[in-house]
Amino acid sequence: MHGNRILLIIGGGIAAYKSLELIRRLKERGHTVRAILTKAGAEFVTPLSLAALSGERVFQDLFSLTDESEMGHIQLSRAADLVVLAPATADLMAKMAGGHANDLASTALLATDKPVLMAPAMNVRMWNSPATQRNRATLERDGVAFVGPNEGEMACGEFGPGRMAEPDEIVAAIETLLAAPGPLAGMSALVTAGPTHEPLDPVRYIANRSSGRQGYAIAGALAEAGADTMLVSGPVAIAAPPRVKLVQVETAREMLAACESALPVDVAVCAAAVADWRPEAMANQKIKKNAAHSALKLTANPDILRTLSQGAQRPSLVVGFAAETENVIAHAQEKRLAKGCDWIVANDVSPVTGVMGGANNTVHLITAKGVENWPELDKGEVGRRLAARIAQALKTSAA
Ligand code: C5P
């Protein structure tokens, strides 16, 4: 891969010397590198060596008249395909996670809409500290990619994770991030996942055993394939995959509202285990155990899959799920017609299968053309295969 524009931010760490080598390797591979050197970074490498290696001028100062008139902080990130922080110090991570903008590097980071790759380098205790780990998790949620840190002997004499990744590893991570756009680039996707919670009173609710894992895996695979992906999720205990926009809801009605506000989209995948019923009324106070409640009055919830399939802004492709415990395929075929969706992913969720909450799934893809029986796969692989099939179908319908 050649010819990408990298904005390299060099923080203050002893590993900064490796960034000189990183610039050399990137140049050898045909990329252009423009460097921002932080004040602390300038204690470890000189602007002169960076300018000599990159063949570009080096940017250091947010308030420099010459820097700002020739290439402002917004323009610096706009003119790049990827922003790389190497070494990414604990301070740079904290600044980006907190949205600070008090020097050129943090301002460029806050202003960028380009992919960001961090190669952290710091003392092992600093890396392991709750604050840095909290910042790492925040940055990952915001879509920042990481390479390293590696484990090893450190400049301070300690041993553990904290060493910056080697220049070759950083080059490989950069090129993976810049790889050709996925088959769903330019498309938008909506995925529902998880259970819904339907409140009875302020402390009790009706729910089900859905873990959200299959829906999350599908959203992750669609995003990985390049789709702009929104995941509308009921309450689950798992983290959102990278690059997915997460909207958390509790009830079926909230889920429907979130889905409708995401329209129009090219594809919708309804993997949520939406409660079909909700208590007719939610008690404002906790229901007392001696209250005479022999029967629970329920009322039907909206059917999100049917609403999306039959709505005015129908996505080009609508995929539903059918979790069944018997006659899986026949029930799923009926469901495809009844709901008006294009495909149904059918699976057997009898307790013996271990699908509910488990890592694997055995599904049948039911389309207008017939039934495909997929082998038992882990839920990640089911997601990737489904994303590939979706890409194929959308390409054919667009052609
Ligand atoms: O009718 P049933 O619940 O078996 O249909 C399952 C499919 O319909 C799943 O795709 C599920 O996400 C969707 N569904 C929905 N809203 C409901 C009930 C089911 O979107 N209220």
Side-chain angles (χ1 to χ4, degrees), residues 130-383:
T132 302
Q133 288 307 311
R134 205 162 49 234
N135 292 334
R136 180 189 57 81
T138 303
L139 291 166
E140 277 180 346
R141 243 193 334 269
D142 291 345
V144 171
F146 280 82
V147 52
N150 294 344
E151 200 161 283
E153 187 87 44
M154 309 191 58
C156 55
E158 290 190 81
F159 187 89
R163 271 171 73 110
M164 188 167 90
E166 296 304 320
D168 278 344
E169 291 172 76
I170 302 176
V171 170
I174 288 172
E175 296 197 340
T176 306
L177 276 176
L178 289 169
L184 285 170
M187 302 279 185
S188 52
L190 166 66
V191 179
T192 70
T196 62
H197 284 183
E198 308 295 335
L200 275 159
D201 67 20
V203 295
R204 303 185 180 95
Y205 53 82
I206 299 177
N208 59 66
R209 292 185 192 278
S210 168
S211 65
R213 288 173 79 162
Q214 186 60 81
Y216 274 54
I218 292 166
L222 290 168
E224 206 167 286
D228 180 7
T229 305
M230 178 175 288
L231 171 60
V232 179
S233 173
V236 295
I238 54 177
R243 296 195 289 276
V244 160
K245 288 181 206 134
L246 177 68
V247 179
Q248 291 168 305
V249 297
E250 285 209 0
T251 67
R253 286 181 296 172
E254 287 168 9
M255 187 173 273
L256 175 61
C259 288
E260 288 186 321
S261 63
L263 297 176
V265 291
D266 294 296
V267 57
V269 180
C270 293
V274 184
D276 293 314
W277 303 91
R278 67 173 183 274
E280 198 171 67
M282 177 183 148
N284 288 333
Q285 304 298 333
K286 187 178 169 196
I287 300 166
K288 296 282 175 255
K289 74 174 150 201
N290 55 5
H293 281 286
S294 56
L296 198 57
K297 277 212 170 143
L298 299 175
T299 185
N301 261 332
D303 188 317
I304 298 164
L305 175 60
R306 184 185 289 131
T307 311
L308 294 178
S309 299
Q310 302 182 2
Q313 287 187 289
R314 187 190 198 280
S316 310
L317 185 68
V318 184
V319 184
F321 269 70
E324 303 285 348
T325 54
E326 55 175 1
N327 294 332
V328 175
I329 291 175
H331 282 154
Q333 282 169 322
E334 283 164 26
K335 196 163 290 178
R336 194 182 80 81
L337 298 173
K339 305 249 187 185
C341 59
D342 301 292
W343 298 351
I344 286 270
V345 180
N347 57 357
D348 188 340
V349 292
S350 322
V352 287
T353 63
V355 168
M356 280 299 226
N360 287 3
N361 207 351
T362 308
V363 308
H364 314 273
L365 181 66
I366 291 158
T367 70
K369 292 200 186 112
V371 181
E372 280 174 33
N373 300 309
W374 292 8
E376 179 173 344
L377 299 166
D378 75 49
K379 289 180 177 174
E381 190 53 30
V382 170

Side-chain angles (χ1 to χ4, degrees), residues 5-11 19 22 26 33-36 80-88 92 109 115-119 145 147 170-171 173-174 177-178:
R5 300 161 306 167
I6 316 283
L7 178 63
L8 174 64
I9 298 177
I10 301 175
S19 303
L22 175 63
L26 288 168
V33 183
R34 201 169 255 158
I36 292 180
D81 300 307
L82 178 76
V83 182
V84 179
L85 283 83
L92 276 172
L109 285 170
V116 176
L117 174 70
M118 288 204 174
V147 52
I170 302 176
V171 170
I174 288 172
L177 276 176
L178 289 169

